[in-house]
Amino acid sequence: MIVLGVETSCDDTAAAVLEDGRSVRANLVSSQDAVHAPFGGIVPEMASRQHIQAIQPMVDRALERAGVAAGELDGLAVTHGPGLTGSLLVGLSFVKGWSFRTGIPYVGVNHLEAHVLSIFLEKEVSFPYLALVASGGHTLLYVARGFGAYEHLGGTLDDAAGEAYDKVAKMMGLGFPGGRVIDDLAKQGNPRAVAFPRARLRTPYDFSFSGLKTSVWHYLTRKRPDRWRDEMADIAASFQEAVVDMLIAPTLRAVEEFGIRNIVLGGGVAANSRLRAKLAEKAGEAGAELHCPSLRFCTDNGAMVALVGSHLLEQGDRSGPRLNADPALIL
Ligand code: KG4
Ligand code: ZN
């Protein structure tokens, strides 16, 4: 079965072609970072306009790269939530129209489920596993018990982890998006240089990053910029260590509580080098194993959408003309 996956939930226009539910024949992403960078964050109206311009060329290029003619597709898969309404509507309308025109069946895919399952693009992991999804819009922890069977353990009570990265990078004048820049800068810094706080919550599997963000802001504004500019790497490393610690603690608690031995990462923040290294080490100490998708499958991509779509189509699921974008879709 050859499936086209389309992803436009946020600021990346992505298209991929997947064969037999696993083999990635093409996976292309058109980033809008340069468009949103001057604003220090994603401007929703601009994001949907960019998707409109990019979607047809991206799909054409993905088919060309895969060596697949449009008529050879057995199914179409598209993210229909959660995300920015205008952005979601571009991908969904495009795929719906295509399906209506050609008769090729399509299914709507939950973006969060795609992140939870993206590891299967590269390796098999046995259920049940803990899935930590951390991106610019979400920070969530699930037990994945099988395809379509997810138990929500917790999530962020305020900012998403990626959002905290992006806002702190903005405060420090490092541009947008901030995750990768802070990750790189932190490699030259001391993670114990500044004692930024770790949120302590009553709910064991939840996360909170807004207090940390405010704490960095206070640290920066208490000093003159020419003073803290010398310690940028230390601030980045110390901030990052706090984020990583707060992502790891609930995950390890769940390993202990549920006795689950596999942990899977997903979402843009899963690309973070310190998170990958420290969680792998701590998971090992707790008798668990960490499974990380490659960077291109951590950040938003069409292949993970095609993966979930292939599974749904194979079990006979079909979406119809009434399916709508759902910005607040949960998993
Ligand atoms: O999953 P994603 O591509 O899009 C969303 O669904 O949000 O995640 C983007 C987020 C951004 O906040 C970005 O700063 C963060 O992932 N990110 C990182 C890294 N690479 C991307 N955060 C920390 N370390 C990284 N290496
Ligand atoms: Zn995402």
Side-chain angles (χ1 to χ4, degrees), residues 7 9-10 111-112 115 133 135-138 267-268 298-301 304:
E7 157 63 43
S9 67
C10 194
H111 182 82
L112 299 171
H115 277 308
V133 177
S135 70
H138 310 278
C298 285
T299 46
D300 289 349
N301 65 86
M304 65 179 190

Side-chain angles (χ1 to χ4, degrees), residues 9-12 111 115 134-138 161-163 165-166 176-180 183 240 267-273 298-300:
S9 67
C10 194
D11 62 334
D12 291 319
H111 182 82
H115 277 308
S135 70
H138 310 278
E163 195 179 348
Y165 266 99
D166 294 339
F176 172 86
R180 225 183 56 226
D183 192 354
Q240 172 160 284
V269 180
N272 186 263
S273 62
C298 285
T299 46
D300 289 349

Side-chain angles (χ1 to χ4, degrees), residues 80-144:
H80 76 107
L84 300 169
T85 310
S87 292
L88 288 164
L89 278 171
V90 176
L92 180 60
S93 313
F94 180 90
V95 167
K96 230 193 241 186
W98 188 341
S99 172
F100 185 68
R101 198 175 70 242
T102 60
I104 301 172
Y106 94 98
V107 276
V109 168
N110 184 322
H111 182 82
L112 299 171
E113 183 174 14
H115 277 308
V116 167
L117 298 177
S118 63
I119 191 72
F120 291 113
L121 291 166
E122 297 173 290
K123 68 194 277 196
E124 291 299 316
V125 178
S126 51
F127 292 111
Y129 60 75
L130 290 166
L132 174 64
V133 177
S135 70
H138 310 278
T139 306
L140 291 153
L141 186 62
Y142 298 98
V143 180

Side-chain angles (χ1 to χ4, degrees), residues 10 32 36 41-51 84-87:
C10 194
Q32 302 179 4
H36 301 289
I42 296 163
V43 184
E45 178 60 28
M46 290 171 72
S48 33
R49 283 173 197 226
Q50 292 292 316
H51 285 309
L84 300 169
T85 310
S87 292

Side-chain angles (χ1 to χ4, degrees), residues 191-242:
R192 280 176 298 278
V194 190
F196 290 126
R198 276 73 170 150
R200 301 181 70 162
L201 307 173
R202 289 206 186 121
T203 41
Y205 306 118
D206 283 333
F207 308 87
S208 167
F209 299 100
S210 71
L212 169 63
K213 188 184 65 184
T214 309
S215 174
V216 176
W217 186 80
H218 281 302
Y219 188 85
L220 297 176
T221 48
R222 262 200 315 267
K223 295 188 170 190
R224 291 203 333 256
D226 55 329
R227 298 285 299 281
W228 59 256
R229 220 156 259 147
D230 298 336
E231 36 165 336
M232 294 266 273
D234 283 346
I235 297 169
S238 302
F239 159 76
Q240 172 160 284
E241 201 67 9

